[in-house]
Each structure stands twice: as C-alpha cells, then as structure tokens.
C-alpha cells in the first residue's frame, strides 16, 4: 500500500520535476498553516489569561490578597475592595444550583439512556438541547417575572434571593449535566447490564448498582462542568439575585455573585475600581480553571479505564 | 419493612419520568409565556423600524442588524480557524503532546465564562487594539467563545468519515490536501455545518460579553467599527430598566423564534445527514 502511494509522485516527478517539487512544498506549507491556525485556541487562552491577570494582579498586590478575599467591605470609591460577600454568594448560588441541576439533569440522563422508548428520546433530547439554547437573559426574565414574586409571597424575604438564582441556574445547568452524563452512561459496556439482568436484578437495581457505578467518573465530570457553568453565569443571576453587598444569612437573602459584580459596575468603573473588577475576574478565572482541571482529570481517568477494560 | 425490588423499580422510574416532565414543562412554559405576551406586539413595523425614546416605542431594526453583523462576523472568523484546527488534529498530525495541548486549550476556552471573555475583549480589542466599543470588537470576542464548539463538532464529524474513503483517495493518487478537501471535508460537511449553526445560536444569545465589547448604542451601525446593541442586550436593558414591557416581550419573542429556528435546523441537519442525533 505505502509503496504504491510513494510510486505515483515519483513517476510524475520524473516527467515534470518542477511541478512535483512545488506540490511537495505546498503540502508542507499547508501543514504549517494548519498548525498555526490550530494554535489559535491555545494562544487565545494564553492571551486571555495574560490580560486578565495583568489588569487584575496589581490591585490585588496593592490591597493584599488576604484582605481582597476575606474582607467584606466593597466601597470602590473609597478604595475598599473586599469581595468576600461575592465569593460566598457565588458559592451558595452554585451549590444550590448543583443540587437542582444534578437531580433533574441526572434523572433525565438515566431516563434517556435506560428506560425511555426511542420515540420519546427523539422528543426529549432535542427539547433539552433547546433548553441549552435559550438565552440567559430570557431565563433571568422568567425568573423575575414568575419565580421572584412566588418566593416573595409564599416563602418570605425580598424574593430576589439565593434560592431564586439557584433554581434559575439549576435549570440552566440541566442540559450540560444531561448531555455529558448521557455520554458517560452510554459508554457503560452492554455486557455489564446483561450480566446484572441475568443475575436476576431488576432494571432499576441494575441502573443504580451497576450502570451508575460504572459511569461514576463521567457523571462527576458532568456535574463539575455544570458547576463551572453556574459559577460563570452572569446575566440571569444579575436579574434574580438582588445584588446586595451583604453576606447572606439564609437562602432567602439577596446576594451578589462575582460575575454580577463585574457586569454591574464595569459600565462606569475607572482607575483602581476598574482594576478591582478585573481582580474579581482573576478570582473567578481561578475558580473556573480549578473546576475545569478537575473535570478534565476525572473524565480522562475514565477514558483510560475504558482502554484498559478492552 | 423491606420494599420489593419491583416496587422500588416502579417508584424510581416514575420519579424520573416526573423529573423529565418537569424539565419539559419548564421549557414549554418559558416559550409559551414569552410568545403569549410577545407575539401580539410583533409586527412588520416592529421588525423594520428604529426604536424611539430609548426603546419605549418603535421597533428593533438596528438591533437585528447589529445582531446579524456580530453573529455573522464571529462565525466567519471562527469557522475557518476551527475547521482548520480540526483538520490539523485529525489528518495532519499524530496524537502527542502538541495535540493534547491544543485540545486542553480548546477545552479550557469552552469553560471560560462569558463575562471573562467580555473583560478580555474590553481590555484587548476595545482598548489595547483601539477598536473601541464596536461590532468588530464584539464579533472577535464572540468568535473566541464559539471556537471550541466549532473545533469539537468538526473534529467529531471528520473522525466519523470512514477510513476507506481516505485509502481510496490516496489510491487514486491524490495528495493529502486533495484528499482532505475533496473527500474528508466534503463528507463531513453536514456535521461541520451543525457545529456552525449551533455557534450562530450561541452568538445570538450571548449578552454579557457583547455588552462589554460591542456597547449599547441605539442607532443603526454604519460600519463594523461602530457600536451596536444586539437583540439580547436590548431585551435585557428594556426589561431591567423597565423601559417598556410590551417591547421587551416582543424582542424576546424575536430571540426565541430565532433560537428555535436555529436549533431545529441543526437538529434537521444532524438527522438528515449524520444519522441519529
């Protein structure tokens, strides 16, 4: 095979050496151009990291990392930059969203892969993809129009709250968790399921004792990536979280997240204030990167295990 | 008391059907709610007129133009780069440290929140490169955001092309580049197109990054170096500042209809050409 492939250019090279050489060179040029374009994602990431850190690090150095992260005084005009309430806000909102997104997202994924007849799959799956396509501002708007008044009337508090943001973000996380979990659940070898059924287990026993165990790391990766989504979501959270600067004491209190802090104040911030917003971005960036790395690690371990199993 | 396994099974399955039904219900509710309130105010005039008094009256024509500009430019920039990356990863190199690094870059880029892209676009395109708050700054920022999606979907589509096709192309004496362009990319085209269509959807719904890079000017952009407000940002401003609820609903309807059309066509492409979605 390879000798055949080599022969053809050699023949034409004998007849038209110039053309053949040019063709060989153009292949090398193409390869280099493709390589340079392939570097774009990596270099994009590098440039983004460099610029966010370049803008944000000086102010963290000036205020002091500990004070920047652990102080709860954010008075940008007086030079007080403490983002503890935003960090706590982001964490609370994400934790709540994770519970909701995991229950619903995993439920849908198990249903789609194990129990759902194909005709229903072809309805539910595109619907979940559509859920992922709806703009975050629309989610935020529905949250304000429906959820916030409901919470205010029936549960108390101002309505704009950790709870409202968690529910909105949970729904937004659902497609991420579902689609990645579906992949993980589909990757479980059929023989595991057949073996379990043959031993007399019911379908549900098979699901939670065999399938979920085998797909565990993929599901963990799905949930972590979903968390990344929730930590990073901006517009929907601005609309339903209330954006106060106080530390929340209950899930009915309003909060401000890291992302909304940036989006709300970027429009008019200048000087140190603007730099402090970039520093908020640095903290957010670090949280996201940690989550992404964990998710990548976990899912890579899964693929290694799969290779070994074969 | 121990519950019989068959009963547990019934309970578990019905709980999962309920969860899925709730998720479907939420989707149906969002779409109906927006369209119910928005469609009555949607008219030809709304789509073709400029807004008056900050959007209280008039239409959304400049925002539609701005959205189209940002989206089209972003995709036109990101698609060639993304497809080239996918071709390089699948056809022009072996798995190694370099491909792992490139994939790591794309995976990380996919996880970065839009507000960070916004901050970056603001300091890099708007200020450092001096493009100002403009359509082009917004488009370049969004292009970076959708790049991972295009790389991922194109790579999958290209990998799905049977090996035999490549062997036949080589057997007929084609060079690698001829094989890639005339055989591989051509048969992977529907899959690549699906990725591009999904990226269009993502660009249309993007708000935070566009707010910081394309600005929020109300006028019709005369060139790509002018600021322009996109539909999603217009909807955000109208509803959040309580300028006009009727116009907010109508704008949201335009957005929802666009997103639904885009998702449907992506789904159709997938089913029609790639097999099972």
């Amino acid at each position: 095979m390879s000798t055949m492939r080599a022969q053809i250019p050699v023949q034409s090279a004998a007849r038209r050496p110039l053309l053949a050489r040019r063709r060989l060179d153009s292949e090398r040029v193409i390869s280099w151009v493709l390589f340079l374009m392939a570097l774009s994602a990596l270099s994009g990431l590098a440039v983004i990291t460099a610029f966010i850190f370049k803008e944000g690090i000086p102010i963290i150095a000036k205020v002091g990392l500990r004070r920047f992260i652990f102080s709860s005084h954010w008075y940008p005009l007086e030079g007080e930059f403490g983002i503890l309430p935003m960090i706590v806000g982001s964490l609370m909102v994400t934790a709540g969203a994770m519970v909701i997104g995991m229950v619903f997202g995993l439920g849908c994924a198990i249903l789609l892969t194990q129990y759902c007849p194909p005709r229903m799959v072809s309805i539910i799956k595109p619907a979940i993809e559509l859920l992922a396509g709806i703009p975050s501002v629309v989610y935020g708007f529905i949250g304000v129009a429906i959820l916030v008044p409901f919470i205010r009337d029936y549960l108390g508090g101002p309505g704009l709250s950790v709870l409202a943001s968690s529910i909105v973000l949970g729904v937004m996380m659902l497609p991420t968790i579902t689609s990645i979990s579906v992949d993980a659940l589909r990757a479980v070898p059929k023989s595991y399921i057949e073996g379990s059924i043959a031993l007399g287990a019911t379908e549900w026993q098979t699901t939670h004792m065999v399938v979920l165990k085998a797909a565990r790391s993929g599901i963990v990766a799905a949930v972590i990536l979903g968390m990344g989504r929730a930590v990073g979501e901006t517009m929907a959270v601005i609309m339903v979280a209330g954006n106060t600067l106080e530390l929340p004491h209950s899930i009915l209190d309003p909060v401000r997240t890291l992302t909304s802090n940036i989006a709300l104040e970027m429009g008019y911030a200048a000087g140190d204030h603007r730099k402090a917003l970039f520093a908020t971005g640095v903290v957010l960036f670090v949280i996201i990167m940690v989550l992404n790395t964990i998710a990548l690690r976990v899912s890579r371990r899964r693929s290694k295990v799969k290779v070994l199993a074969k | 008391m121990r519950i019989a396994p068959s009963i547990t099974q019934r309970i578990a399955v019905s709980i999962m059907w309920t969860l899925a039904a709730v998720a479907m219900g939420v989707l149906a509710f969002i779409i109906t709610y927006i369209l119910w309130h928005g469609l009555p105010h949607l008219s030809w005039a709304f789509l073709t007129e400029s807004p008056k008094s900050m959007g209280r009256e008039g239409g959304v024509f400049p925002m539609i133009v701005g959205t189209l500009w940002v989206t089209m430019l972003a995709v036109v920039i990101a698609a060639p780069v993304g497809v080239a990356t996918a071709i390089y990863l699948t056809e022009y190199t072996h798995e190694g440290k370099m491909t792992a690094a490139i994939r790591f870059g794309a995976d990380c880029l996919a996880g970065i929140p839009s507000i960070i892209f916004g901050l970056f676009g603001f300091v890099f395109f708007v200020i450092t490169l001096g493009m100002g708050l403009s359509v082009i700054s917004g488009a370049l920022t969004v292009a970076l955001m959708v790049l991972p999606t295009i790389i991922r979907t194109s790579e999958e589509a290209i990998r799905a092309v049977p090996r035999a096709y490549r062997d036949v192309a080589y057997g007929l004496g084609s060079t690698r580049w001829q094989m890639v362009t005339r055989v591989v990319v051509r048969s992977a085209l529907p899959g690549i197109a699906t990725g591009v269509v999904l990226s269009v959807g993502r660009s249309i719904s993007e708000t935070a990054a566009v707010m910081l890079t394309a600005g929020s000017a109300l006028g019709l952009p005369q060139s790509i170096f002018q600021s322009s407000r996109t539909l999603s940002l217009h909807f955000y401003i109208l509803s959040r500042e309580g300028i006009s609820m009727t116009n907010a609903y109508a704008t949201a309807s335009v957005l929802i209809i666009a997103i639904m059309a885009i998702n449907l066509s992506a789904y159709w492409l997938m089913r029609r050409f790639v097999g099972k979605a």
Side-chain angles (χ1 to χ4, degrees):
Chain A
M1 181 70 220
S2 63
T3 49
M4 240 175 70
R5 206 181 287 167
Q7 263 171 13
I8 296 159
V10 168
Q11 273 178 352
S12 63
R15 232 175 278 157
R16 290 175 298 185
L18 257 177
L19 195 72
R21 168 166 290 178
R22 204 190 294 152
R23 183 182 279 177
L24 195 70
D25 281 348
S26 71
E27 273 296 305
R28 285 188 84 181
V29 172
I30 288 166
S31 171
W32 270 102
V33 170
L34 287 177
F35 174 64
L36 289 180
M37 285 176 109
L39 284 182
S40 58
L42 196 58
S43 44
L45 179 70
V47 177
I48 290 174
T49 317
F51 269 87
I52 300 290
F53 277 76
K54 195 193 92 185
E55 294 290 311
I57 290 294
I59 193 82
I60 296 184
K62 194 169 147 194
V63 178
L65 181 63
R66 188 178 283 183
R67 237 179 92 209
F68 185 69
I69 290 183
F70 293 109
S71 156
S72 52
H73 300 284
W74 176 266
Y75 304 111
L77 299 181
E78 285 126 60
E80 284 270 5
F81 303 109
I83 59 166
L84 184 66
M86 288 79 133
I87 295 181
V88 173
S90 275
L91 293 182
M92 279 179 82
V93 167
T94 306
M98 198 186 79
V99 173
I100 294 163
M102 199 164 82
V103 169
F104 282 88
L106 200 53
C108 287
I110 297 174
L111 191 72
L112 280 173
T113 51
Q114 318 283 320
Y115 297 99
C116 198
R119 191 133 47 94
M120 286 304 284
V121 172
S122 65
I123 296 172
I124 296 180
K125 209 157 173 252
I128 288 176
E129 277 156 22
L130 185 58
L131 214 51
I134 290 181
S136 55
V137 275
V138 172
Y139 279 109
F141 181 75
I142 295 284
V144 174
I146 308 289
L147 198 58
V148 166
F150 182 85
I151 293 177
R152 186 171 50 220
D153 293 347
Y154 290 96
L155 301 172
L160 298 162
S161 57
V162 176
L163 182 63
S165 338
S166 293
I167 295 174
V168 170
L169 285 179
V171 175
M172 295 178 71
M173 271 167 74
L174 187 153
T176 311
I177 296 187
T178 301
S179 66
I180 304 175
S181 303
V182 162
D183 289 343
L185 291 170
R186 286 236 169 98
V188 174
K190 260 243 148 61
S191 56
Y192 289 18
I193 300 170
E194 284 158 2
S196 161
I197 297 283
L199 286 171
T202 62
E203 280 178 313
W204 171 247
Q205 283 173 329
T206 308
T207 302
H208 84 99
M209 291 174 179
V210 178
V211 179
L212 283 182
K213 290 248 161 73
R216 195 170 45 198
S217 51
I219 292 168
V220 171
V223 173
I224 295 172
L225 285 176
M227 280 171 71
R229 232 356 87 83
V231 176
E233 178 46 48
T234 314
M235 304 315 272
V237 177
I238 290 187
M239 296 170 94
V240 295
N243 305 320
T244 48
L245 282 164
E246 259 127 75
L247 276 169
H249 296 290
S250 87
I251 56 167
L252 296 176
D253 284 346
V255 279
R256 179 183 290 202
T257 62
L258 291 166
T259 50
S260 30
N261 190 40
I262 301 171
L264 284 168
E265 300 191 358
M266 203 57 201
Y268 59 86
D272 273 1
H273 184 190
R274 175 179 288 175
K275 294 219 171 81
L277 294 179
F278 273 92
T280 314
V282 169
V283 174
L284 179 64
F285 191 90
V286 170
I287 295 176
I288 293 285
M289 278 314 200
V290 169
L291 287 176
N292 275 359
T293 318
I294 297 174
L296 285 177
R297 278 272 165 81
V298 172
S299 60
R300 196 172 305 146
R301 198 169 60 206
R302 173 175 61 118
S303 52
K304 258 183 204 157
V305 169
K306 238 175 24 191
V307 170
L308 283 179
K310 277 177 191 166
Chain B
M1 192 190 87
R2 210 171 149 263
I3 307 169
S6 60
I7 309 245
T8 334
Q9 151 118 5
R10 274 212 187 146
I11 295 171
V13 173
S14 48
I15 287 176
M16 281 185 300
W17 276 108
T18 318
L19 291 176
V22 170
M24 298 300 105
V26 168
L27 175 72
F29 178 78
I30 292 176
I31 294 174
T32 341
Y33 187 83
I34 296 285
L35 292 184
W36 183 266
H37 288 86
L39 281 184
H41 306 287
L42 210 56
S43 61
W44 185 247
F46 185 76
L47 297 177
T48 52
E49 275 176 17
S50 286
K52 297 182 194 96
S53 60
M54 299 307 288
R56 224 163 263 114
E57 282 155 45
V60 288
F61 184 62
M63 289 80 202
I64 294 179
V65 174
T67 309
L68 286 178
W69 266 119
V70 170
T71 306
M72 291 307 146
L73 271 174
V75 170
V76 164
I77 297 163
V81 177
V83 174
T85 307
I87 292 175
Y88 180 77
L89 286 175
T90 49
E91 306 289 332
Y92 273 83
T93 185
H94 301 287
E95 293 298 314
K97 283 207 171 122
M98 205 58 227
T99 55
I102 290 170
R103 285 211 179 82
F104 172 79
D107 284 343
C108 286
L109 214 54
I112 291 180
S114 62
I115 190 75
I116 300 269
F117 278 102
L119 279 179
F120 165 75
F122 178 76
V123 68
F124 188 68
F125 298 124
V126 176
I127 293 178
T128 310
L129 297 186
M131 294 174 182
L133 292 170
S134 63
V135 170
I136 185 73
S137 306
L140 285 166
T141 312
V142 174
L144 267 176
M145 294 182 64
V146 298
L147 187 61
T149 315
I150 296 185
I151 295 178
R152 174 61 55 84
T153 45
S154 310
E155 206 190 328
E156 269 170 27
I158 291 176
R159 272 190 203 287
V161 175
R163 223 198 122 67
Y165 287 23
R166 298 183 173 85
D167 291 340
V168 168
Y170 278 137
L172 291 172
S174 62
T175 62
R176 186 171 288 241
W177 181 241
Q178 287 169 332
M179 184 272 287
V180 165
T181 47
R182 296 184 196 174
V183 177
V184 172
V185 169
R186 187 162 293 181
S187 50
L189 210 54
I192 295 174
T194 312
V196 171
V197 171
L198 287 175
S199 308
V200 170
R202 178 134 188 244
S203 324
I204 291 180
S205 36
E206 183 45 48
T207 313
V210 172
M211 178 172 80
L212 295 182
T213 51
S216 56
L218 269 169
L220 190 67
Q222 302 297 324
S223 80
I224 56 170
F225 296 101
Q226 280 185 6
S227 167
S228 171
R229 192 187 281 191
T230 61
L231 275 174
S232 51
L233 184 58
H234 187 58
F235 167 63
Y236 171 74
I237 293 172
L238 285 185
S239 59
R240 182 151 172 85
E241 294 175 5
I243 294 173
S244 157
M245 273 329 204
T246 53
N247 275 2
Y249 278 119
T251 313
S253 304
V254 177
L255 272 174
I256 291 271
I257 292 170
I259 294 291
M260 275 170 37
I262 285 166
N263 269 53
L264 271 179
S265 45
Y267 191 64
W268 179 79
L269 269 173
M270 276 291 229
R271 292 218 107 175
R272 179 90 173 65
F273 296 105
V274 192
K276 290 201 82 180

